[in-house]
Amino acid sequence: MPTLTIETGGPARVTVRGPDGAWHAPEDAVRDRTASDRPGVLGMDLDPTDGSAIEPGYTAHFLADGAAEVPVPRGACLVVVERGPEHRRVERVVDVGAGGARVACTPGRWADLAAEGWWSGDLHVHRPLADAAAVLRAEDLHVGAFVTRWNERARSERGTGQVGRPGAADVCGGGAAGGAAAPRDEAGGAPRAALTVDGDRHAVAPVTEDERGGGAVLLHGVDVPDLPGTGADDWWSPPARTLVDAARAAGAFVDAEKLTWWDAPVLVATGAPDAVGVLNNHFVPGGMLANEAWGRPRDRAAHPGPEGAARYQLGLWYRYLGLGLRLPASAGSASGVLPAPPGYDRVYVEAPGPLTVDGFYAGLRAGRSVVTNGPLLALDVGDVGPGASVPAGRHRVRAVARTAPGGAGTSAGGPAGSSARGSTVGPVPGPVRVELVVDGRVVAASDGPVLDAVLDLRGAGWVAARARQPDPRTIRLAHTSPVHVDGPGPDAVEHRAFFARWVADLTAAARAEPARFPTAARRDEVLDLYDRAARFYR
């Protein structure tokens, strides 16, 4: 086959589709070789209206660093080059002749949040550490948390493809390459870089993910060598709380992977996590996983379809904030398992530069964060931003949502018999909906990129901004962590009752299903934990 040479001008993610409809990539390129375009969680819809769907094609991409040579059939090939949301997405249709073709596709930078003191991160990455340098550069990420230990499947389940989850060793093995590697002989501590490239791009490891019956929690900075398995005896006990407490004592950062998991209200009530996954692996570029996997099912009548699933997740976070809890927003893609590149669901954290791992996690723990898989969103309440507090009263609140500008690209020449045509620098973005949210209720909205309002925050508990960018395939959302309002907030009785019912359901199931626990002592340990949570919500 002829060769298509693609000049990317630097690190980038590339997808090539030939005239035969097949995707093409160099054999030795860095790729996501463990994710699935059809993950098992698609089959977990509880109702046809869930409509979980993912367009195929994600796993066909590869990473390039300046140039790539791709064998392709003769004819019109579609080339797409991307480098995270701060760069323009470039598309070219290239006519490849017998002698091959060459095309320039440089995703130019249109925003530089790091220069503004906001640093990008993905807190949930299932890619090999050996690929970390290429991944961080190609996706324009400054922090990637690489999961190095994950609950192993019961032996009988391995290799079945259930739930799309391979063993941790399959996706996280291998040594670091392409940068300065840090020693990895410690079992626990504060999050730290296993690899640093370009001075301010950090691959954080070790990271342990405990994902069992109650859900998933990410422990940044610790390796848990005796992590429970996923067999029947370990599915519900020992509780994740036990692992979280030990990890936190060692200095770990605790991230609740998503709030729909059964154990989420127990984790929050018995020692709140440092951050929660507001944008998580159910938001993917080719669709939406509109179910709660094996978490607590939502009310489908109140929250139908993908839009309802997204609103439900946000609503859970709003309820916790309504209890007066400070739970910063985090984000993670689970790239390597779910069909999303690292940083598709990303968190921006305000921290001083040059960026350090300590500075990033300190800023996130303080609530100075914005999550996005679409617009770049900023919020000011008076002269402060997310994570800060303001006195009760009237305040000017300003939110700005930026998207990549569209425009015509230029054709790039090639050898005889080839040309680039119909080129565009991504689609022209649609209108961005910007909203201000106070205590879970939208109080102001704009269909333009800027929303400027004066709000009376007397009696309020918090204010945040969110933005939506139209996409017919999926949900493109940005959300700031809140600015908190000093003084007594609104009554939280309804929120407490909601989570009390949730914990009561957990308790009832534990009592009704003794087979969940291998011994009475393990059952009593879990029931005691549920009782602690129930008392918190009374």
Side-chain angles (χ1 to χ4, degrees), residues 255-336:
D255 185 36
E257 190 265 342
K258 63 174 69 76
L259 291 175
T260 53
W261 292 122
W262 272 108
D263 267 0
V266 178
L267 185 67
V268 169
T270 56
D274 296 302
V276 297
V278 171
L279 269 185
N280 52 63
N281 57 15
H282 280 212
F283 297 83
V284 296
M288 179 75 185
L289 300 174
N291 59 55
E292 291 70 54
W294 61 92
R296 188 174 195 260
R298 70 185 186 277
D299 180 345
R300 262 64 180 172
H303 304 286
E307 287 285 345
R311 287 196 305 272
Y312 174 67
Q313 290 203 33
L314 288 180
L316 293 176
W317 184 42
Y318 296 166
R319 286 184 182 276
Y320 286 119
L321 296 177
L323 295 175
L325 298 169
R326 299 202 171 199
L327 295 176
S330 69
S333 64
S335 182

Side-chain angles (χ1 to χ4, degrees), residues 458-526:
R458 288 174 294 183
W462 57 272
V463 57
R466 68 187 189 192
R468 284 285 303 272
Q469 183 177 3
D471 189 319
R473 304 168 303 161
T474 188
I475 292 176
R476 298 275 187 173
L477 170 70
H479 210 301
T480 72
S481 282
V483 172
H484 300 275
V485 181
D486 293 333
D491 194 294
V493 170
E494 198 277 329
H495 300 322
R496 290 187 179 278
F498 177 88
F499 291 119
R501 291 191 297 271
W502 186 318
V503 175
D505 290 344
L506 257 179
T507 303
R511 293 187 183 281
E513 301 172 26
R516 284 189 176 194
F517 309 102
T519 66
R522 293 266 289 266
R523 179 201 62 202
D524 291 345
E525 178 189 19
V526 171

Side-chain angles (χ1 to χ4, degrees), residues 46 53 70 129 147 243 303 346 348 360 450 537:
L46 296 183
V70 187
L129 271 173
V147 177
L243 280 69
H303 304 286
R346 69 177 55 197
Y348 283 94
F360 180 89
V450 179
Y537 294 114

Side-chain angles (χ1 to χ4, degrees), residues 6-15 26 29-31 60-68 79-84 87-90 104-108 127 131 133-141 201 341-342:
I6 304 165
E7 298 173 351
T8 61
R13 173 167 31 92
V14 183
T15 306
V30 174
R31 303 175 62 180
H61 80 267
F62 61 92
L63 304 187
D65 191 359
V79 178
V80 179
V81 181
E82 301 174 86
R83 198 188 177 212
H87 292 75
R88 293 178 178 87
R89 181 179 189 268
V90 181
C105 299
T106 301
R127 301 285 289 274
D131 294 344
V135 164
L136 293 173
R137 287 169 168 152
E139 302 298 347
D140 192 26
L141 275 172
R201 300 187 188 276

Side-chain angles (χ1 to χ4, degrees), residues 7-379:
E7 298 173 351
T8 61
R13 173 167 31 92
V14 183
T15 306
V16 178
R17 193 166 193 177
D20 54 355
W23 285 276
H24 301 272
E27 285 293 329
D28 59 349
V30 174
R31 303 175 62 180
D32 188 341
R33 300 179 185 272
T34 53
S36 170
D37 274 335
R38 312 304 300 169
V41 74
L42 282 173
M44 295 184 183
D45 284 2
L46 296 183
D47 188 277
T49 62
D50 285 353
S52 294
I54 297 174
E55 291 184 0
Y58 160 77
T59 55
H61 80 267
F62 61 92
L63 304 187
D65 191 359
E69 295 185 345
V70 187
V72 295
R74 293 175 59 179
C77 294
L78 174 65
V79 178
V80 179
V81 181
E82 301 174 86
R83 198 188 177 212
E86 298 176 49
H87 292 75
R88 293 178 178 87
R89 181 179 189 268
V90 181
E91 294 184 7
R92 297 283 191 272
V93 176
V94 186
D95 290 326
V96 181
R102 179 180 295 271
V103 63
C105 299
T106 301
R109 182 179 288 279
W110 67 273
D112 190 351
L113 268 67
E116 301 171 22
W118 289 83
W119 305 86
S120 58
D122 185 327
L123 298 194
H124 190 183
V125 181
H126 285 277
R127 301 285 289 274
L129 271 173
D131 294 344
V135 164
L136 293 173
R137 287 169 168 152
E139 302 298 347
D140 192 26
L141 275 172
H142 288 278
V143 171
F146 286 74
V147 177
T148 50
R149 191 172 295 274
W150 194 14
N151 315 82
E152 292 289 342
R153 285 186 176 279
R155 186 174 301 276
S156 61
E157 293 179 301
R158 291 182 187 163
T160 65
Q162 294 179 21
V163 198
R165 187 176 97 178
D170 297 329
V171 295
C172 302
R184 298 182 58 215
D185 56 351
E186 301 174 53
R192 57 201 181 279
L195 173 75
T196 296
V197 294
D198 304 334
D200 59 8
R201 300 187 188 276
H202 307 290
V204 172
V207 176
T208 293
E209 179 176 7
D210 180 32
E211 183 178 34
R212 292 175 290 137
V217 62
L218 294 154
L219 309 175
H220 296 235
V222 297
D223 180 83
V224 182
D226 55 347
L227 194 64
T230 57
D233 285 352
D234 296 323
W235 190 237
W236 288 99
S237 70
R241 178 82 261 163
T242 303
L243 280 69
V244 168
D245 289 344
R248 179 165 277 164
F253 183 97
V254 179
D255 185 36
E257 190 265 342
K258 63 174 69 76
L259 291 175
T260 53
W261 292 122
W262 272 108
D263 267 0
V266 178
L267 185 67
V268 169
T270 56
D274 296 302
V276 297
V278 171
L279 269 185
N280 52 63
N281 57 15
H282 280 212
F283 297 83
V284 296
M288 179 75 185
L289 300 174
N291 59 55
E292 291 70 54
W294 61 92
R296 188 174 195 260
R298 70 185 186 277
D299 180 345
R300 262 64 180 172
H303 304 286
E307 287 285 345
R311 287 196 305 272
Y312 174 67
Q313 290 203 33
L314 288 180
L316 293 176
W317 184 42
Y318 296 166
R319 286 184 182 276
Y320 286 119
L321 296 177
L323 295 175
L325 298 169
R326 299 202 171 199
L327 295 176
S330 69
S333 64
S335 182
V337 175
L338 275 298
Y344 172 73
D345 297 305
R346 69 177 55 197
V347 57
Y348 283 94
V349 174
E350 186 180 29
L355 183 68
T356 65
V357 172
D358 286 346
F360 180 89
Y361 280 93
L364 180 54
R365 187 178 276 113
R368 299 192 298 270
S369 68
V370 179
V371 298
T372 187
N373 59 19
L376 303 180
L377 181 63
L379 171 69

